[in-house]
Amino acid sequence: MADWLAEAQKRLEQYLTQQGLRRTQERRHILEAIYQELAHFDAETLYRHLQEKGYKISRATVYNSLELFVACGLVKRYSFAGGRMLYERSLGRRQHDHLICEECGEIQEFCDPSLGAVTEAVGRLFSMEPVRHELVIYARCARPDCPNKNKLLPLP
Amino acid sequence: MADWLAEAQKRLEQYLTQQGLRRTQERRHILEAIYQELAHFDAETLYRHLQEKGYKISRATVYNSLELFVACGLVKRYSFAGGRMLYERSLGRRQHDHLICEECGEIQEFCDPSLGAVTEAVGRLFSMEPVRHELVIYARCARPDCPNKNKLLPLP
DNA sequence: CTAAATGCAAATGTTTTGCACCTGG
DNA sequence: CCAGGTGCAAAACATTTGCATTTAG
């Protein structure tokens, strides 16, 4: 399963049909942009990216579609980073969390398998069923210019 | 050390003097409100609370002071929950994280000592120094009306 | 006195909404 | 066709900023 865009498109069509929603060009284009070129992005970045690709898609539709994609599990939404929502595609990516450099804002990703146990235990403690979690570690680079040379962990 | 408001006031005076900043009534009143009555709150809630108490303090000053309190460690700021910042007092509270009910939005708190080890390990992985972290678990109550009867963990 | 804070209102930036028009099924 | 979607612009929010006025030291 290397072509996650294709898989995402397939699932989108499925979901839309299932729900009696429409399979529009806009939704296809937006999903394509997300799965082809964007890693972490906010709505505005996605909007401008689409404009640059020549698609005439409105901000309203971008927001709309993001909500839809989150609803059907094709995109994940995070609320860190100064009051604006960040999104990322979810297919083909294993569960991970984020480390943000307080100096430059760069976002790194990491996996920690032990977190599953933590959320389970906490859920039991409150008799609730954990749905998802968000762990953000804010950190400072030791080096003066914070180059963030050590890039993302090799995640699929 | 039971009177955390007094301690907070003391530290504020100290900090302001140290930094050559002014010890204003507004800052005192705001800090008092936070330490006396507010658990988790956003800026607007704090603002209205102050109005109700009869203080004529502007929103600008509220935001200003919150930033100051965060800077000097008297208040913690979180960015979860739909794009608005949440604050809580930090003195007299041990490190904890949050569980949010997706149905009713109620916030629970919990301690997990193992998280320290996680942030340490991740910091080492990226050669960065972890400054703080935010773990939010989103969960659903099993019971239909999600009463959230089991309140906050007995934290100091 | 005077630099720092405050209050107010205007600006900013992000997300949502209302409504006329368009389009997939 | 026609309900669901889209585009546009206005509205809604939370937060920040500019500037005249007040005040702590």
Side-chain angles (χ1 to χ4, degrees):
Chain A
M1 180 82 69
D3 193 349
W4 292 108
L5 169 59
E7 174 67 13
Q9 295 284 24
K10 201 183 82 187
R11 289 207 203 177
L12 177 62
E13 307 294 274
Q14 242 176 323
Y15 179 79
L16 293 174
T17 304
Q18 212 170 50
Q19 304 287 312
L21 305 173
R22 290 193 186 158
R23 306 179 300 130
T24 65
Q25 299 247 338
E26 288 80 359
R27 287 169 175 168
R28 270 192 282 270
H29 292 326
I30 297 175
L31 190 63
E32 183 182 299
I34 293 172
Y35 270 79
Q36 278 187 343
E37 26 247 332
L38 270 24
H40 299 95
F41 59 94
D42 55 30
E44 185 63 22
T45 303
L46 174 53
Y47 169 72
R48 282 210 265 265
H49 185 79
L50 290 162
Q51 298 300 94
E52 278 161 27
K53 287 185 74 171
Y55 298 125
K56 300 280 179 281
I57 298 176
S58 72
R59 250 175 278 259
T61 299
V62 169
Y63 279 101
N64 236 336
S65 302
L66 282 173
E67 200 174 316
L68 179 77
F69 297 161
V70 170
C72 69
L74 292 172
V75 164
K76 280 195 173 139
R77 166 154 75 163
Y78 301 98
S79 54
F80 45 72
R84 85 157 141 288
M85 302 295 195
L86 282 193
Y87 300 85
E88 60 182 25
R89 62 180 190 270
S90 55
L91 255 44
R93 314 233 41 213
R94 78 169 61 131
Q95 148 68 38
H96 62 270
D97 290 283
H98 302 270
L99 176 145
I100 302 183
C101 175
E102 290 224 300
E103 253 107 60
C104 69
E106 175 135 353
I107 300 174
Q108 313 269 9
E109 304 183 344
F110 65 90
C111 289
D112 193 309
S114 74
L115 280 171
V118 172
T119 61
E120 275 311 309
V122 173
R124 266 196 305 279
L125 181 62
F126 291 104
S127 309
M128 296 184 77
E129 189 199 350
V131 175
R132 66 180 192 285
H133 74 263
E134 264 180 48
L135 170 59
V136 184
I137 301 176
Y138 295 90
R140 260 196 303 267
C141 185
R143 290 152 296 180
D145 60 339
C146 189
N148 276 322
K149 281 294 186 290
N150 37 0
K151 287 295 175 192
L152 301 187
L153 259 186
L155 285 169
Chain B
M1 181 79 71
D3 193 349
W4 293 108
L5 169 59
E7 175 67 14
Q9 295 283 25
K10 202 182 83 186
R11 290 207 203 177
L12 177 61
E13 308 293 274
Q14 242 176 324
Y15 179 79
L16 294 173
T17 305
Q18 212 170 50
Q19 306 284 314
L21 304 173
R22 291 192 185 160
R23 306 179 301 133
T24 65
Q25 300 245 339
E26 288 81 359
R27 285 169 177 170
R28 269 191 284 270
H29 292 325
I30 297 175
L31 191 62
E32 183 182 297
I34 293 172
Y35 271 79
Q36 278 186 343
E37 27 245 329
L38 269 26
H40 299 95
F41 59 95
D42 56 30
E44 184 64 19
T45 302
L46 175 54
Y47 170 72
R48 281 210 265 264
H49 185 80
L50 290 162
Q51 299 299 95
E52 278 163 25
K53 287 185 73 171
Y55 297 124
K56 300 282 179 285
I57 298 176
S58 71
R59 251 175 276 259
T61 299
V62 169
Y63 279 101
N64 235 339
S65 301
L66 282 172
E67 199 174 318
L68 180 77
F69 298 162
V70 170
C72 69
L74 292 171
V75 164
K76 281 194 174 143
R77 167 154 73 166
Y78 301 98
S79 53
F80 43 72
R84 83 159 141 288
M85 303 294 194
L86 282 193
Y87 299 85
E88 61 182 25
R89 61 180 190 271
S90 55
L91 255 45
R93 316 232 41 214
R94 78 170 61 134
Q95 149 65 39
H96 61 272
D97 291 281
H98 300 92
L99 175 145
I100 304 183
C101 175
E102 290 221 303
E103 253 107 62
C104 70
E106 174 135 353
I107 300 174
Q108 312 270 7
E109 304 183 346
F110 65 90
C111 289
D112 193 310
S114 74
L115 280 171
V118 173
T119 61
E120 276 311 311
V122 173
R124 265 196 304 281
L125 181 62
F126 292 104
S127 310
M128 298 185 74
E129 190 198 350
V131 175
R132 68 182 189 285
H133 73 263
E134 264 179 48
L135 170 60
V136 184
I137 300 176
Y138 296 90
R140 262 196 302 266
C141 185
R143 290 153 294 181
D145 59 339
C146 189
N148 276 322
K149 281 292 184 295
N150 39 359
K151 286 295 176 192
L152 301 188
L153 258 185
L155 285 170

